[in-house]
Amino acid sequence: MKTFSFTPDVLSNFPEAIKREWVLTNGIGGYAGSSIIGAHTRKHHGYLIASLHPPVERYVVFSKVNECIRQGADAYDLTTRQWEAADGSTHYEEGQKYLTSFSYDGLVHFTYKAGDITITKTLAFEHGKNTIAIGYELENTGADATLTLTPLFNYRVHSDGSTPEDLVFDVTQDAQTLSLTPSANPDITIRFFASEGNFQKNETIYETNMQLQTEINVEADCIDNNFTPYQVAVSLPAGCHKKLSVIGCIEADWCMDAFQTIRSEYDRLDALEKQAGYTDDFSKALVVAADQFLAYRQSTGLMTVLAGLPWFTDWGRDTMIALTGLTLATKRFDMTRGILTTFARYVKNGMVPNMFPDEGSDPLYNTVDASLWYFYAVDRYLKYTGADSDYAFVQETIYPKLKEILAAYENGTDFSIYMEDDCLIHAGSGLDQVTWMDVRVGDWVATPRHGKPVEINALWYNALKVMESLAVHFQEDAAAYRTLADKVQASFCKKFWNADGGYLYDVVDGDTGDASFRPNQIYAVSLPYRMLSKEQEKSVVDSVYEKLYVGCGLRSIEATDPQYHGIYSGCLAKRDAAYHQGTAWGFLLGGFVTAYVNVYGHDKDSIQKAYALFDPVKKHLSDGCIGSIAEIFDGDAPHTSRGCYGQAWSVGETLRAYTEDILPYMEVPDEDM
């Protein structure tokens, strides 16, 4: 895949460099991540955040490794961190001044030059295991030297911090392996292995007061502490060129050769790229990014989609929206079947689950749109595959659930979801938040949208047409679906069209329309089955482009609205107030690009303009989380990325729209970034 590289001019500026991050995932919910200079800035940073019950129960167990070189009278401390002194002042250890490059190519690489020593450090996961491999390539062109490694351990939920009092372990050291059993969980053992070196007890057993800048930015508790019981001294004789394997894991079995793990992970990523079949840099980068959200769920024995990194788990709505890009555009069709099967098993009262909680309790069903997006995902699956066996799978496993969903929506189900006399879908009441604009703080509902939301009814019509198509294919009577769809279209066009503004109302309650200009209307133009006239579709697309498009996404409300918040920052309450009130969302770009092409066609000029819509996203891949696409962006320029640094539906919808709406219609250079 494309390599994203950064040189000392970027890496030397501590406050700016920590704004760029990296992440690796292990396919079972575990992950690793930090800034590109190695200083942690989040509670969610660490070399091994292990998933104890895949893909959930994620714990920081191995925070990082600090390196120091001694050569003669000279010492070079490569430690990079921000820390808080007793008086509350902020200080920096700036080992990044020895960092000559950072690069990401699906794996992460740090290269340091200190005195006569060059160190290249590569991190890779043993896929499917809570095992992180660190491969050190070491070269000494001068006198004898020593490399000292200080591993930092922890045991905490990945959204919490630790105090020294929390960090109590039973520690043993045998040969080249250090084993730590946390008193908080005697059922696991954290292991640290170094292929060579002398293990020495550390006089200072805690690294204290690590200050996390991102937590400061969101007005949260910003201090973490780590346990440092041992150091490992590795000799670097004059003229040596050697490799050192370091492993951190909670597994009983692990590969002791970090470089074998690195090769295996490169082979796996290369196979994913070849399977997807794209040759341009942008598509290949997104194929690798897509893989980061796909994880094994132990409770079902099948794959699922993690909605966002680093903190979200699997959400039904996000999964169904992201699935086409993550698994169909990448030609991982068996995985698509598994995910569709997983959610089919949990349909309840005609509803696809919205969330599988970390605690392992019952799924939550507080969503009106996940079930309707499920129809879309099934339809796209068949459009990408289309073999008789695929239709047989849908007929046996999925089709009965689709019937169940339609009956529940027509006759009424939970959360005030029901079909009104005009054949449109009503959803939500009271404190319910059942659309994707779902913020609620106590008894305050930020964007209630109770009534008949525009995208829900666009999805409702699309679902009915999908069922009509399936019924015809399965040689069943499709008349009822066709008739109901026609009634939905008539009511939708009559009640949602704002003739004065030339766009769609966001919500209709009774016969009253909410004229707030929001992006939800774009789905009335982007979905496969649509209801508006060509003139109306064009008016919607042009208006959305003018008022909401900001490069990497669409604003959640226009900037002239009194409710608009241009910056998403501060404490949770401040951020929640802005979340759907001006903040731009990355996933909406996919629907917008598709709507644009639906309106303007596939001639050369239109496709070139649609292609240019992705330019800001290509630039963003070198900002924020390298190689991925963030959840949200400030509505105000410069549209800084916020929220999850990598979001499944942002990546999935970008890859889907790019590969469906652009690549088939133009020749894209292999190096297009």
Side-chain angles (χ1 to χ4, degrees):
M1 68 168 280
K2 175 180 171 60
T3 299
F4 298 87
S5 298
F6 300 89
T7 50
D9 58 320
V10 174
L11 302 170
S12 61
N13 187 331
F14 192 110
E16 289 300 313
I18 60 172
K19 295 177 183 178
R20 289 184 168 99
E21 303 174 73
W22 57 268
V23 68
L24 303 174
T25 61
N26 65 358
I28 56 172
Y31 63 96
S34 187
S35 69
I36 64 171
I37 59 173
H40 290 352
T41 71
R42 300 178 185 265
K43 293 170 186 170
H44 300 90
H45 278 165
Y47 282 5
L48 176 56
I49 295 92
S51 177
L52 306 188
H53 185 69
V56 296
E57 293 183 27
R58 289 169 287 184
Y59 279 72
V60 178
V61 297
F62 176 27
S63 181
K64 63 185 296 192
V65 178
N66 290 334
E67 298 93 1
C68 183
I69 298 167
R70 288 179 171 80
Q71 189 171 40
D74 298 319
Y76 308 96
D77 191 348
L78 309 187
T79 302
T80 307
R81 73 168 185 145
Q82 181 175 324
W83 59 281
E84 183 177 281
D87 63 1
S89 58
T90 296
H91 300 266
Y92 304 91
E93 292 181 56
E94 299 201 57
Q96 89 281 359
K97 64 187 177 184
Y98 302 110
L99 189 58
T100 60
S101 75
F102 169 87
S103 61
Y104 170 79
D105 58 2
L107 307 185
V108 296
H109 313 270
F110 301 85
T111 299
Y112 296 89
K113 175 69 174 175
D116 301 312
I117 313 297
T118 301
I119 299 175
T120 298
K121 171 182 175 181
T122 300
L123 282 79
F125 267 114
E126 191 172 347
H127 196 71
K129 291 187 175 183
N130 288 305
T131 301
I132 190 71
I134 309 170
Y136 289 91
E137 296 183 71
L138 308 165
E139 184 176 11
N140 181 4
T141 60
D144 290 354
T146 300
L147 168 66
T148 301
L149 306 178
T150 304
L152 279 61
F153 301 101
N154 217 306
Y155 184 78
R156 60 175 176 81
V157 175
H158 68 152
S159 57
D160 295 341
S162 290
T163 66
E165 292 74 24
D166 297 327
L167 302 174
V168 180
F169 298 86
D170 179 29
V171 182
T172 59
Q173 192 266 315
D174 179 34
Q176 296 304 121
T177 302
L178 190 64
S179 300
L180 302 91
T181 301
S183 62
N185 185 358
D187 293 332
I188 74 163
T189 299
I190 304 164
R191 294 181 173 86
F192 175 85
F193 167 81
S195 59
E196 68 170 276
N198 181 25
F199 280 72
Q200 304 166 345
K201 286 189 176 181
N202 198 353
E203 293 182 5
T204 304
I205 64 170
Y206 297 107
E207 185 197 66
T208 59
N209 296 333
M210 181 188 291
Q211 194 180 65
L212 307 170
Q213 185 58 49
T214 301
E215 306 298 341
I216 295 173
N217 296 344
V218 297
E219 301 176 21
D221 177 20
C222 66
I223 299 298
D224 194 25
N225 298 274
N226 292 284
F227 185 55
T228 57
Y230 276 78
Q231 294 181 332
V232 183
V234 180
S235 64
L236 301 177
C240 78
H241 192 170
K242 64 167 67 175
K243 292 183 176 182
L244 170 69
S245 290
V246 167
I247 309 296
C249 70
I250 61 167
E251 305 287 351
D253 298 309
W254 72 92
C255 176
M256 294 184 178
D257 185 347
F259 295 91
Q260 179 179 326
T261 298
I262 290 167
R263 289 191 297 271
S264 296
E265 188 63 358
Y266 271 135
D267 289 345
R268 191 184 71 84
L269 295 176
D270 185 59
L272 292 180
E273 288 186 357
K274 289 179 178 176
Q275 181 175 347
Y278 306 114
T279 61
D280 63 286
D281 285 344
F282 188 46
S283 297
K284 291 196 292 183
L286 293 179
V287 167
V288 172
D291 180 67
Q292 295 179 329
F293 304 101
L294 301 171
Y296 171 77
R297 173 166 273 281
Q298 191 175 72
S299 63
T300 63
L302 295 167
M303 298 298 288
T304 192
V305 173
L306 300 180
L309 298 169
W311 52 76
F312 285 140
T313 55
D314 34 1
W315 289 61
R317 172 193 300 119
D318 300 55
T319 296
M320 296 309 135
I321 293 174
L323 198 62
T324 302
L326 298 188
T327 64
L328 294 176
T330 59
K331 299 180 177 62
R332 302 175 76 168
F333 302 135
D334 288 344
M335 190 172 291
T336 312
R337 289 168 69 120
I339 292 168
L340 292 174
T341 300
T342 296
F343 281 88
R345 289 179 181 176
Y346 286 91
V347 171
K348 179 182 178 183
N349 298 332
M351 299 179 70
V352 166
N354 190 33
M355 183 183 179
F356 294 98
D358 276 8
E359 294 79 10
S361 56
D362 292 337
L364 304 178
Y365 289 87
N366 56 325
T367 173
V368 61
D369 47 358
S371 301
L372 299 177
W373 278 112
Y374 191 63
F375 286 81
Y376 170 85
V378 171
D379 183 57
R380 299 314 295 162
Y381 168 73
L382 293 173
K383 292 295 189 295
Y384 272 82
T385 56
D388 290 343
S389 59
D390 299 309
Y391 275 95
F393 157 71
V394 168
Q395 186 172 21
E396 179 180 355
T397 307
I398 307 297
Y399 192 51
K401 297 295 182 180
L402 300 183
K403 289 182 176 180
E404 180 183 335
I405 292 168
L406 285 189
Y409 275 53
E410 187 172 350
N411 299 317
T413 185
D414 301 334
F415 301 102
S416 302
I417 298 169
Y418 57 87
M419 186 177 76
E420 292 195 342
D421 292 341
D422 58 8
C423 299
L424 299 176
I425 295 296
H426 175 283
S429 63
L431 298 180
D432 293 339
Q433 287 294 76
V434 293
T435 73
W436 75 275
M437 293 183 165
D438 56 1
V439 167
R440 191 182 101 188
V441 182
D443 291 338
W444 175 59
V445 176
T447 48
R449 306 189 74 228
H450 298 150
K452 294 174 281 194
V454 63
E455 80 281 11
I456 301 307
N457 284 283
L459 285 162
W460 173 237
Y461 177 80
N462 188 76
L464 291 168
K465 298 300 286 185
V466 168
M467 282 299 282
E468 178 188 344
S469 175
L470 290 175
V472 169
H473 189 91
F474 298 143
Q475 298 183 337
E476 294 184 4
D477 186 0
Y481 302 124
R482 185 181 308 113
T483 299
L484 182 55
D486 289 344
K487 292 178 180 178
V488 170
Q489 180 176 16
S491 292
F492 185 93
C493 292
K494 176 182 178 182
K495 295 191 174 183
F496 275 96
W497 185 248
N498 181 341
D500 292 337
Y503 63 93
L504 293 169
Y505 291 117
D506 188 57
V507 179
V508 172
D509 191 7
D511 292 320
T512 302
D514 176 3
S516 301
F517 194 90
R518 294 187 181 274
N520 305 300
Q521 61 189 300
I522 204 66
Y523 291 109
V525 190
S526 68
L527 288 168
Y529 297 99
R530 308 188 298 279
M531 297 173 279
L532 301 178
S533 68
K534 288 296 183 183
E535 293 76 14
Q536 289 173 324
E537 288 188 338
K538 182 178 183 299
S539 182
V540 167
V541 168
D542 290 347
S543 298
V544 167
Y545 179 76
E546 176 189 352
K547 298 179 180 181
L548 302 180
Y549 173 75
V550 297
C552 290
L554 302 181
R555 291 188 182 106
S556 43
I557 200 168
E558 65 178 319
T560 58
D561 194 290
Q563 304 175 86
Y564 176 77
H565 291 67
I567 304 294
Y568 179 87
S569 64
C571 68
L572 182 59
K574 295 176 186 175
R575 285 178 281 137
D576 279 345
Y579 205 36
H580 301 116
Q581 303 288 58
T583 297
W585 288 73
F587 84 96
L588 295 169
L589 181 64
F592 176 72
V593 170
T594 299
Y596 183 92
V597 171
N598 284 344
V599 166
Y600 284 98
H602 300 96
D603 62 89
K604 183 177 180 180
D605 183 59
S606 296
I607 292 298
Q608 284 288 352
K609 290 179 179 177
Y611 175 62
L613 294 171
F614 291 103
D615 287 345
V617 184
K618 295 174 185 177
K619 181 178 182 296
H620 170 63
L621 293 183
S622 295
D623 294 318
C625 184
I626 308 306
S628 195
I629 305 174
E631 176 190 12
I632 52 178
F633 302 82
D634 285 341
D636 285 355
H639 311 301
T640 302
S641 61
R642 308 283 189 180
C644 282
Y645 51 58
Q647 190 81 353
W649 60 7
S650 297
V651 171
E653 272 293 89
T654 300
L655 182 56
R656 178 203 61 78
Y658 190 72
T659 55
E660 287 184 355
D661 299 323
I662 303 299
L663 289 185
Y665 303 101
M666 68 178 293
E667 290 189 15
V668 174
D670 288 351
E671 296 183 4
D672 65 336
M673 292 170 58

